[in-house]
Amino acid sequence: MAPILNGDVDIVIPTIRSLDFLENWRSFFEPYHLIIIQDGDPTKVIKVPQGFDYELYNRDDINRILGPKASCISFKDGACRCFGFLVSKKKFIYTIDDDCFVAKDPSGKDIDALAQHLDNLTKPSTPYFFNTLYDPYREGADFVRGYPFSLREGVPTAVSHGLWLNIPDYDAPTQLVKPRERNTRYVDAVMTIPKGTLYPMCAMNLAFNRELVGPAMYFGIMGDGQPLGRYDDMWAGWCSKVVCDHLGYGVKTGLPYLWHSKASNPFVNLKKEFKGLFWQEEMIPFFQSVVLPKECTNAQQCYLELAKMVKEKLGPIDPYFHKFAAAMVTWIEAWEEFNAPAKAKIDSVKSA
């Protein structure tokens, strides 16, 4: 699958180290523009291999560009990647972690993950009726007998969620009890996640249509100075899925795979996740019960409504969620500054 749409794609990479891993991706990534978000010490020199077209932002740049609104961008946390989503002007975003490498399919061929994501994003989704041959728009597949003809046109795809071989994306307790477990199963399938169904989104291999759902891809305030970490991509996944369901967009998961090379420290992870392991039992039912008003017709408006609901429904759990809801509003304010204005009424949320 050859690279396509390179003028419409930015690759966003959060990192604390030099990006030698890009050499492994050179043949696939070199045609595209990279946005690198340097986390941690802004004085550290991040080296990028020659030949790549990129821009690099560190914390000083984020503070300078956003001013007081920089408070909505996490520090010392992978959630800083959403600054790249904010400053991009491209239709599609692909974000990947710097410990991920090119995987091989069962035939031994290198997998062009970005090309597969773009294939997913440029073909429709089927969230309203499940097709037992999974993605009916894939070559060699179609709608099965009994699939409603009225739904076969599908809906626009907003999110493509890829998977990983080798190191699984486990939480800390699972890491601790299964330290040697590796994912070796390559499932040759792409499927649409049904409407009304949430999923645990992982950002190490993720692409989305920024024009459709970009404002909802906010990874929150986590990491340094916050009581919660390692829930940034899951939060964005829950929010974006609720928004996609409301606006009539689709979310796909499955192919492509990449090779996840390194397991993070489970004891460090447990400290970051500890509160979230309890809070998720209330956060997930909250998102399952969200009903957005029909007046919300774009992702910005939906996200501001979510911010109000987070403050009202999750705020009683911990004051952190009041701060989080305020950051959600600040994020949309920043989005409005960097992008075409929408009809979101930010002031009404602040006064709510």
Side-chain angles (χ1 to χ4, degrees):
M1 198 179 295
I4 55 173
L5 302 174
N6 57 312
D8 291 325
V9 180
D10 276 331
I11 300 173
V12 175
I13 306 168
T15 191
I16 58 171
R17 58 182 65 86
S18 293
L19 296 180
D20 298 330
F21 92 112
L22 286 173
E23 290 291 358
N24 182 249
W25 290 96
R26 182 177 290 278
S27 62
F28 298 134
F29 285 3
E30 205 166 23
Y32 298 93
H33 179 67
L34 313 181
I35 301 177
I36 301 164
I37 311 300
Q38 178 181 345
D39 198 14
D41 182 2
T43 65
K44 182 177 179 179
V45 176
I46 299 293
K47 295 180 181 178
V48 181
Q50 290 187 344
F52 288 95
D53 173 35
Y54 71 93
E55 52 191 303
L56 188 152
Y57 298 92
N58 61 32
R59 189 69 201 188
D60 290 342
D61 298 319
I62 294 172
N63 291 339
R64 173 178 51 82
I65 292 168
L66 291 183
K69 294 184 180 66
S71 61
C72 74
I73 305 297
S74 294
F75 183 56
K76 294 185 178 179
D77 189 82
C80 68
R81 80 181 75 219
C82 61
F83 181 77
F85 309 161
L86 183 69
V87 298
S88 172
K89 299 300 179 186
K90 303 291 179 62
K91 181 176 182 178
F92 300 112
I93 295 288
Y94 176 48
T95 185
I96 182 174
D97 287 356
D98 62 10
D99 60 352
C100 295
F101 296 86
V102 177
K104 294 183 182 296
D105 67 18
S107 72
K109 181 182 177 182
D110 285 348
I111 297 169
D112 185 345
L114 180 49
Q116 176 67 58
H117 276 299
L118 292 173
D119 188 61
N120 293 345
L121 289 169
T122 53
K123 291 178 180 176
S125 290
T126 55
Y128 303 118
F129 203 90
F130 188 79
N131 191 55
T132 50
L133 283 180
Y134 304 116
D135 192 345
Y137 306 102
R138 187 178 178 187
E139 185 178 352
D142 210 326
F143 294 97
V144 298
R145 180 172 56 91
Y147 199 99
F149 286 94
S150 60
L151 295 177
R152 293 190 182 194
E153 184 179 352
V155 301
T157 301
V159 181
S160 173
H161 179 254
L163 300 174
W164 8 259
L165 295 170
N166 195 35
I167 305 295
D169 183 33
Y170 285 162
D171 54 38
T174 309
Q175 279 185 291
L176 287 167
V177 298
K178 295 184 174 182
R180 294 182 179 87
E181 187 158 286
R182 298 294 180 264
N183 182 36
T184 60
R185 295 182 66 234
Y186 179 96
V187 180
D188 188 12
V190 175
M191 65 188 75
T192 298
I193 301 174
K195 181 181 179 182
T197 300
L198 298 176
Y199 71 111
M201 189 178 83
C202 172
M204 75 173 81
N205 182 20
L206 175 72
F208 61 92
N209 186 319
R210 184 179 177 276
E211 294 177 357
L212 297 182
V213 78
M217 278 292 179
Y218 174 51
F219 280 47
I221 46 168
M222 299 199 185
D224 194 50
Q226 307 301 335
L228 183 62
R230 282 174 57 81
Y231 275 82
D232 52 327
D233 45 4
M234 287 182 283
W235 179 273
W238 299 330
C239 289
S240 59
K241 184 59 165 64
V242 166
V243 170
C244 284
D245 285 352
H246 176 77
L247 296 177
Y249 303 141
V251 177
K252 292 184 177 183
T253 187
L255 300 179
Y257 283 87
L258 47 64
W259 184 267
H260 185 207
S261 67
K262 186 177 64 177
S264 49
N265 186 306
F267 295 101
V268 173
N269 291 345
L270 186 58
K271 290 181 180 179
K272 294 178 180 179
E273 295 174 0
F274 185 75
K275 288 183 180 293
L277 296 172
F278 297 95
W279 289 347
Q280 72 180 11
E281 302 307 318
E282 298 188 61
M283 288 190 288
I284 292 171
F286 161 72
F287 282 106
Q288 288 173 325
S289 66
V290 163
V291 177
L292 294 167
K294 64 180 185 299
E295 291 78 18
C296 293
T297 57
N298 62 38
Q300 290 98 314
Q301 293 170 342
C302 290
Y303 206 70
L304 289 174
E305 285 296 322
L306 270 176
K308 288 195 285 189
M309 294 178 186
V310 167
K311 181 178 180 180
E312 177 186 353
K313 301 294 186 181
L314 297 182
I317 297 173
D318 192 273
Y320 167 66
F321 288 101
H322 289 274
K323 186 178 180 181
F324 203 120
M328 293 169 71
V329 176
T330 301
W331 163 257
I332 294 298
E333 289 180 327
W335 190 275
E336 294 291 311
E337 287 186 14
F338 279 83
N339 300 276
K343 297 179 181 179
K345 298 180 180 179
I346 294 170
D347 290 340
S348 67
V349 179
K350 283 186 168 180
S351 60

